[in-house]
Amino acid sequence: MNNFVDHVKIHCAAGHGGAGSAHLRREKYIPKGGPDGGDGGRGGNIIMKGNSHEWTLLPLRYTRHLKAGRGENGGKNQLTGAAGQDVFIEVPIGTIAKDEEGEIIGEILEHGQEIVVKKGGLGGLGNEHFKSATNQTPRYAQPGTPGEEGYVTFELKVLADVGLVGFPNAGKSTLLAAVSAAKPKIADYAFTTLTPNLGIVNYRNYRSFVMADIPGIIEGAAEGKGLGHRFLRHIERNSILLFLIPADSDNHWNEFKILENELRKYNPELLDKEFILSVSKADLLDDDLKIEIAREFPENQKPLFFSAVTGEGIEALKDEVWRRLSMEI
């Protein structure tokens, strides 16, 4: 079973507001006490709340409907009805909520942050609000207003400093396993990685950064081929993109341009991010081949060579990542 879920759609219904009271005060020694009806309580809200202990939307996977409490009606003696019970949806940091038109309602960026995705209805006003010199005993009150209702889509976008971009079998999972304690699945076939993996990479002087191994991209991913948007959605949140071109590629520069083109078609703003070019599996190359491959790239976009198996070039790669991150900060 896949425990990583990054997209769910739930029908959310906020609570209706309670009706105001039209009560008239009638006591033994006050036969004409006038209106004393209280206001109705507000309807309950549907609230998205950040939880740093969650990493997936799996707990919401089988949730189809959520309904908040209805506000209670107002009472006599100007008593306001109780508010309807709010419903909280706990989500990981990096979750975005969208309405039925695809418009973003809000995004969770820190633990404990709350965003109302569906607002409860207002409570109706009691009849005491409507008394006047010409109408001293109004016998009517406002009904409560309906709560908001509709489908809400929750999307999780992985938060990481560095996102690994490359075709399947480019060596992304191997690199993450080599530089962090993460244990991504590694095998010699396409789409080994079906869900994002995060790893904390320790750097010098107790510094560290977060690296994300994301499902491999293929040509046509922007149109939904392969894992399509499931991959591309996550790199929107990465500060730096690290492109991995395997040493055994037929055309290293062309492979990079295909990857770059897929990002452009999905979201042109992705190309505004800092990116690093690298050639993985450098243990397959001798010095002459490295020089030959480097010549495929423009002078201002020379790649870094590394091998996650032998450790060659790993420290230089981490140095460059940290340098770029320092520039971002």
Side-chain angles (χ1 to χ4, degrees):
M1 179 181 174
N2 184 1
N3 289 328
F4 184 84
V5 176
D6 57 4
H7 185 278
V8 294
K9 188 175 182 180
I10 302 174
H11 185 269
C12 298
H16 297 327
S21 171
H23 187 268
L24 295 174
R25 188 177 180 190
R26 291 291 184 265
E27 296 179 24
K28 185 173 182 180
Y29 301 108
I30 312 176
K32 296 182 179 179
D36 71 343
D39 301 340
R42 69 159 178 84
N45 299 319
I46 306 286
I47 301 172
M48 174 173 66
K49 184 176 182 179
N51 186 343
S52 59
H53 301 296
E54 297 285 353
W55 66 282
T56 171
L57 296 175
L58 180 65
L60 302 176
R61 185 173 192 174
Y62 300 110
T63 301
R64 294 289 175 260
H65 302 278
L66 287 173
K67 188 172 183 179
R70 183 188 183 97
E72 292 187 7
N73 295 337
K76 61 182 180 179
N77 297 328
Q78 301 178 7
L79 290 177
T80 300
Q85 186 172 8
D86 295 331
V87 171
F88 289 87
I89 307 171
E90 295 202 349
V91 297
I93 311 301
T95 300
I96 290 177
K98 296 182 178 179
D99 62 19
E100 292 178 85
E101 283 71 46
E103 295 295 322
I104 294 177
I105 300 170
E107 55 183 319
I108 295 296
L109 298 175
E110 58 186 35
H111 180 74
Q113 180 185 356
E114 296 181 5
I115 296 173
V116 176
V117 296
K118 292 296 177 185
K119 193 173 183 179
L122 298 174
L125 298 176
N127 63 349
E128 65 160 336
H129 292 277
F130 303 106
K131 64 184 177 181
S132 66
T134 57
N135 185 11
Q136 296 188 7
T137 56
R139 298 176 183 273
Y140 53 85
Q142 280 185 334
T145 61
E148 295 178 342
E149 183 175 351
Y151 282 96
V152 178
T153 299
F154 298 91
E155 291 183 0
L156 172 60
K157 297 183 181 182
V158 168
L159 288 169
D161 298 309
V162 186
L164 305 182
V165 182
F167 284 169
N169 284 338
K172 300 184 299 298
S173 298
T174 306
L175 173 61
L176 184 67
V179 298
S180 74
K183 295 179 173 58
K185 184 177 180 181
I186 299 171
D188 190 22
Y189 56 85
F191 299 121
T192 308
T193 302
L194 299 177
T195 61
N197 293 294
L198 294 180
I200 297 176
V201 180
N202 291 319
Y203 191 60
R204 301 189 186 99
N205 301 322
Y206 303 102
R207 293 174 291 188
S208 63
F209 54 87
V210 179
M211 182 177 284
D213 165 30
I214 302 166
I217 190 172
I218 64 170
E219 192 168 7
E223 287 82 41
K225 292 183 180 178
L227 297 178
H229 292 182
R230 283 194 60 189
F231 160 78
L232 294 166
R233 181 191 310 140
H234 292 288
I235 61 176
E236 291 181 311
R237 285 292 182 82
N238 303 149
S239 300
I240 295 174
L241 302 181
L242 174 56
F243 288 83
L244 274 69
I245 313 298
D248 52 4
S249 171
D250 294 332
N251 189 319
H252 303 82
W253 175 247
N254 184 57
E255 186 163 318
F256 164 68
K257 296 305 289 184
I258 292 173
L259 293 169
E260 184 184 49
N261 188 48
E262 290 303 322
L263 300 192
R264 180 183 293 106
K265 287 191 291 185
Y266 177 72
N267 181 356
E269 292 181 4
L270 291 175
L271 299 183
D272 294 333
K273 292 180 178 289
E274 282 282 321
F275 64 86
I276 300 170
L277 290 179
S278 69
V279 173
S280 60
K281 307 179 183 180
D283 53 293
L284 302 177
L285 307 171
D286 57 25
D287 291 340
D288 291 337
L289 282 173
K290 289 178 184 176
I291 294 172
E292 188 176 326
I293 291 173
R295 285 177 181 153
E296 296 179 27
F297 294 81
E299 196 62 38
N300 63 341
Q301 290 183 292
K302 294 301 183 184
L304 296 172
F305 291 85
F306 77 90
S307 169
V309 175
T310 65
E312 174 192 348
I314 291 293
E315 287 305 313
L317 187 65
K318 289 164 69 173
D319 287 342
E320 181 62 13
V321 168
W322 187 260
R323 186 182 74 82
R324 299 291 187 95
L325 283 175
S326 300
M327 290 169 57
E328 288 287 302
I329 295 171

